[in-house]
Amino acid sequence: MKKRLLYLVLVFIFVSMACQIGGQKATEETLPPTVEMPTIPPPTEPPPEPTVPPEPTQPPEPEATPTEEISPYYTMDFGGDLSDWTQVVLAGDPSKTYARQMGNRLKFEVPSPETYAYVENGSFSYKDVYIEAEVETVRSGANGIALWCRGSEKGFYELRIHTAGPLAGTYELFRYDFVLKQQKKVPYVQLLKGIGHVSTYEIKAGVGLNKIGMLCQGQNIRVFINDVEHLINNEPPVKDNTLTDGTIGLGVMSFSQGPVEVDFLSLTVAQP
């Protein structure tokens, strides 16, 4: 009995091993062979384009700075830049300085007798122009206070008033002639023929303020004192065609009596 049972066990073991071996072989035979996949190289990037050097940049063009145009017509006091004004001494010692800036004033101090001192603004030349100044007589012996227009190498037209001395309360009109000066003749040519000095109550004699104006327009020369135009004997304005254009100027003169101190407070240069 035991032998038969052992025999059956051995048969079962043998059959089981045969099935395993056969199944393993069948399984191994049915598996597909392993295929190695080719390695795909990564996509190559296109070569970089050649670098083109940037064009040299041009420096920016400087912006034109607008120039400020200075008008030849203006109203001013004398507190600013007076570098455009030049002293002109037509009688007396030209080495001395007779006009200087003091605050908002242009002060003339003429200590010696028979001295004719002017200042000229040579920045502009005018054909027709109206020039007006407010002026103060500070202290004075016999004096003259003047404006000029159309100044050039030929001469100029001058309005002169007197606030002190024997001629106080009068005015005169002249044409200054440089040719006569070179000939050692009297260079002041009277434009008020046969009259010379004109008396007027409009001039404030002595210490104080006056406003004097002169219009040079065409052949006409007209006089304004303290805002009043003066026509001699109600006749037309004085006429002269010798000078046609030129600069403007201011002046103070002393005569035989004592020093002269006169201040110019303001100036107006206007187009007629």
Side-chain angles (χ1 to χ4, degrees):
M1 183 70 177
K2 293 181 180 180
K3 292 181 179 181
R4 187 180 179 183
L5 178 61
L6 178 62
Y7 174 79
L8 291 175
V9 171
L10 293 173
V11 172
F12 176 78
I13 293 171
F14 177 79
V15 172
S16 299
M17 291 177 64
C19 289
Q20 290 178 0
I21 295 171
Q24 183 177 359
K25 289 183 177 179
T27 304
E28 291 178 355
E29 290 176 357
T30 57
L31 287 176
T34 302
V35 178
E36 294 184 1
M37 298 297 293
T39 302
I40 301 176
T44 59
E45 297 181 358
E49 296 183 359
T51 303
V52 179
E55 296 183 1
T57 58
Q58 297 295 329
E61 293 290 335
E63 296 184 2
T65 302
T67 56
E68 183 179 354
E69 184 176 353
I70 301 176
S71 172
Y73 304 105
Y74 52 86
T75 296
M76 60 174 285
D77 60 22
F78 292 93
D81 181 12
L82 301 184
S83 59
D84 292 336
W85 294 85
T86 304
Q87 180 175 275
V88 179
V89 180
L90 296 179
D93 186 353
S95 68
K96 295 181 179 179
T97 299
Y98 300 103
R100 62 184 176 91
Q101 188 177 27
M102 190 184 74
N104 292 335
R105 297 179 173 223
L106 180 63
K107 176 178 284 294
F108 281 81
E109 293 177 299
V110 185
S112 52
E114 299 300 331
T115 299
Y116 291 49
Y118 299 81
V119 292
E120 175 188 22
N121 189 325
S123 299
F124 303 102
S125 180
Y126 305 87
K127 289 185 177 179
D128 296 338
V129 67
Y130 176 70
I131 174 173
E132 179 181 272
E134 186 179 16
V135 59
E136 180 180 8
T137 303
V138 179
R139 64 187 180 96
S140 186
N143 69 11
I145 302 170
L147 305 178
W148 92 35
C149 67
R150 295 182 181 171
S152 69
E153 70 280 358
K154 296 179 181 179
F156 51 83
Y157 292 124
E158 177 181 313
L159 165 63
R160 183 188 301 173
I161 71 168
H162 303 273
T163 61
L167 297 177
T170 68
Y171 71 85
E172 302 164 274
L173 277 177
F174 297 103
R175 175 173 56 81
Y176 189 91
D177 192 323
F178 279 111
V179 174
L180 293 177
K181 174 72 171 179
Q182 293 172 356
Q183 296 173 352
K184 300 187 182 302
K185 298 179 181 179
V186 177
Y188 289 94
V189 179
Q190 281 278 1
L191 296 181
L192 301 174
K193 305 299 183 182
I195 300 175
H197 306 87
V198 178
S199 297
T200 173
Y201 289 112
E202 295 299 331
I203 296 175
K204 298 174 183 177
V207 173
L209 293 173
N210 282 281
K211 186 188 295 183
I212 56 177
M214 182 182 190
L215 174 64
C216 299
Q217 186 174 27
Q219 299 183 26
N220 298 327
I221 302 173
R222 302 167 67 173
V223 175
F224 297 81
I225 299 175
N226 291 317
D227 299 317
V228 176
E229 181 178 5
H230 284 258
L231 295 176
I232 302 168
N233 298 327
N234 294 320
E235 294 181 359
V238 174
K239 294 183 180 294
D240 191 272
N241 60 3
T242 305
L243 307 176
T244 57
D245 59 275
T247 63
I248 61 169
L250 313 171
V252 171
M253 52 278 312
S254 65
F255 300 112
S256 58
Q257 300 177 8
V260 176
E261 184 178 346
V262 171
D263 293 356
F264 284 87
L265 281 63
S266 66
L267 174 69
T268 296
V269 183
Q271 186 175 20

